[in-house]
Amino acid sequence: MRIKFQQLPEQNLKPLFEDSNTLGFCKYFTDYMFTMNYTEEDGWHSPTIKPFTSFEVAPSSLVLHYAQEIFEGLKAFKGVDGKIRLFRPDMNAKRFNRSAERLCMPNFLENDFLESIHALVYTEQRWIPSNKGTALYIRPFMFATDETLGVRASSAYTYCLILSPVGPYYQEGFNPVSLFVSSDFTRAGKGGLGEAKTGANYAASLLAGKMARQQGCAQVLWLDGAEHRFIEEVGAMNIFFVFDEKTLVTPVLNGSILPGVTRDSVLKLGESLGYKVVERQISIDEVIGGITTGSITEVFGTGTAASISPVGSLKYLDADYIVNSRKVGPVSQNLYDNLLKIQYGEIPEPFPGWTVELEGPEDKALSI
Ligand SMILES: *Cc1c(COP(=O)(O)O)cnc(C)c1O
């Protein structure tokens, strides 16, 4: 891929953040973005790294009316050895294409997707914070640009990549979150978009999220759309239940659950650390029973933003169920510690391809 680079004069670059501990999550964006366009005649073309600016979008653009949009989320970490690493980026490339297929969008060469990430992160390396827990968040996305109000798949698309330096998710150590179990709303149903990483799923979740916050909960724990009986996920995180401090149970991927990279990593890492890991259907009744009797010793969410997010309580049908006295359990802590050590290069990758060192233009045939 020959990438065109529209370089800014040095004096026009933004000042760097002063304290990476107060960056928060995706409040600041770097100097450049990567874009590439698709048309039926030319396929994907014009890969460009250009200054981070607004798009010009026609009021009749399909994406604004019918939500044909997908995205991804991953991070670049600066290791203890100064090397920059991506975590399992091939998983994001594959998932991006599966999401594209579900939303009738064009396929992306896995290599082009990865190259766009390497090239932009390489260009923007000064933005990668270096203390542990911080990272450069990478947001690839694609949207429909045909100008029509006819309901159909677009014939033209824009792919874009933006970067944001992010602070440690846990400022003062782990803070277990409260989840609101929604017994009336659903995030995704059988045959719907649940498996695809698309903005439409997030739009569907906003009202329940607002109600959760009114009830003092941080996020929603979704149940299945048909019966409101089986656990699905948290909307931006997958969910795990720890039984007797040794067995990890997570809902089996059923078509309406997003297949998280962190979920998959915890299943593999958990097994290698000696836990029993099980993917199966699990009902809210079993979860409430397990928390009440104490057989469920921990609950945690998994996602790129927080990696492991301990859950301190569930609110279901107006009752609060406290998990592990709202404290961080040993299993969550162990998984979190190991995952971070891998991502920051403190221990070798336990499986091939889990950490990918950043490649500059001289390492790869990137001609910026
Ligand atoms: C992105 C996302 C997750 C977490 O996936 P990771 O690949 O682990 O970051 C979980 N659920 C939904 C709905 C998501 O969009």
Side-chain angles (χ1 to χ4, degrees):
M1 189 159 57
R2 286 197 73 83
I3 303 169
K4 200 168 134 202
F5 185 26
Q6 299 175 3
Q7 197 164 9
L8 283 165
E10 189 85 18
Q11 68 269 22
N12 291 10
L13 296 177
K14 300 174 191 172
L16 268 192
F17 47 85
E18 272 165 27
D19 178 4
S20 61
N21 284 313
T22 57
L23 281 169
F25 188 74
C26 294
K27 285 193 288 187
Y28 307 98
F29 293 91
T30 66
D31 292 288
Y32 295 100
M33 61 188 194
F34 177 99
T35 61
M36 194 150 144
N37 299 308
Y38 178 90
T39 54
E40 267 168 10
E41 311 80 72
D42 299 331
W44 285 109
H45 61 272
S46 314
T48 309
I49 291 176
K50 61 171 99 162
F52 183 98
T53 43
S54 303
F55 291 114
E56 213 169 87
V57 176
S60 54
S61 277
L62 275 181
V63 64
L64 299 181
H65 303 273
Y66 308 126
Q68 203 188 1
E69 184 267 358
I70 57 169
F71 66 96
E72 269 303 323
L74 67 162
K75 283 173 169 175
F77 303 91
K78 188 167 279 171
V80 286
D81 51 4
K83 287 186 181 150
I84 298 158
R85 292 178 179 82
L86 303 168
F87 185 69
R88 309 187 74 189
D90 57 306
M91 297 279 284
N92 300 92
K94 292 189 177 82
R95 189 170 63 190
F96 197 61
N97 273 335
R98 289 199 305 273
S99 299
E101 196 170 316
R102 179 63 183 83
L103 278 101
C104 290
M105 299 169 92
N107 205 269
F108 221 87
L109 275 183
E110 204 175 301
N111 229 30
D112 286 353
F113 179 90
L114 295 173
E115 236 176 80
S116 71
I117 292 172
H118 281 275
L120 189 65
V121 173
Y122 185 85
T123 309
E124 297 284 55
Q125 5 186 335
R126 72 183 188 108
W127 284 96
I128 311 178
S130 55
N131 49 334
K132 201 159 168 195
T134 66
L136 189 67
Y137 184 78
I138 304 166
R139 168 56 61 91
F141 59 105
M142 191 211 300
F143 57 92
T145 57
D146 269 6
E147 300 175 21
T148 173
L149 297 187
V151 179
R152 59 164 173 78
S154 185
S155 68
Y157 297 87
T158 296
Y159 165 78
C160 182
L161 189 55
I162 54 176
L163 306 175
S164 171
V166 295
Y169 207 83
Y170 301 104
Q171 285 279 18
E172 287 117 27
F174 271 140
N175 188 14
V177 295
S178 310
L179 298 182
F180 177 79
V181 185
S182 182
S183 52
D184 40 14
F185 292 108
T186 35
R187 189 191 82 95
K190 282 260 173 303
L193 296 177
E195 217 170 27
K197 212 164 171 75
T198 169
N201 287 326
Y202 283 75
S205 75
L206 293 177
L207 183 56
K210 187 168 151 187
M211 289 170 64
R213 280 188 297 283
Q214 282 165 352
Q215 306 261 342
C217 296
Q219 291 186 59
V220 178
L221 177 60
W222 299 98
L223 303 178
D224 76 280
E227 299 179 74
H228 286 107
R229 191 168 148 220
F230 297 103
I231 308 282
E232 297 241 310
E233 61 156 294
V234 190
M237 294 192 296
N238 295 108
I239 189 95
F240 281 79
F241 302 93
V242 183
F243 284 76
D244 304 315
E245 295 188 18
K246 56 176 193 284
T247 304
L248 310 178
V249 177
T250 193
V252 66
L253 299 177
N254 61 1
S256 48
I257 295 173
L258 196 288
V261 176
T262 322
R263 174 189 181 277
D264 185 78
S265 306
V266 163
L267 286 170
K268 296 194 164 77
L269 183 64
E271 189 160 43
S272 78
L273 291 171
Y275 301 112
K276 187 171 176 226
V277 299
V278 184
E279 294 173 86
R280 66 168 168 87
Q281 207 177 42
I282 178 166
S283 70
I284 183 64
D285 292 336
E286 181 183 350
V287 167
I288 296 301
I291 294 174
T292 310
T293 60
S295 63
I296 292 184
T297 47
E298 292 172 50
V299 180
F300 62 86
T302 61
T304 295
S307 65
I308 306 285
S309 184
V311 174
S313 69
L314 299 186
K315 195 181 194 88
Y316 181 55
L317 303 176
D318 289 326
D320 281 311
Y321 299 91
I322 311 295
V323 183
N324 193 34
S325 319
R326 290 192 197 277
K327 290 201 299 282
V328 181
V331 181
S332 314
Q333 188 72 55
N334 190 23
L335 289 164
Y336 177 80
D337 290 345
N338 275 281
L339 206 51
L340 263 73
K341 278 184 191 157
I342 297 164
Q343 291 171 336
Y344 290 87
E346 290 171 51
I347 54 175
E349 58 179 12
F351 301 96
W354 273 33
T355 57
V356 175
E357 275 181 37
L358 186 72
E359 289 171 19
E362 63 272 19
D363 308 320
K364 234 181 176 182
L366 289 183
S367 39
I368 296 185

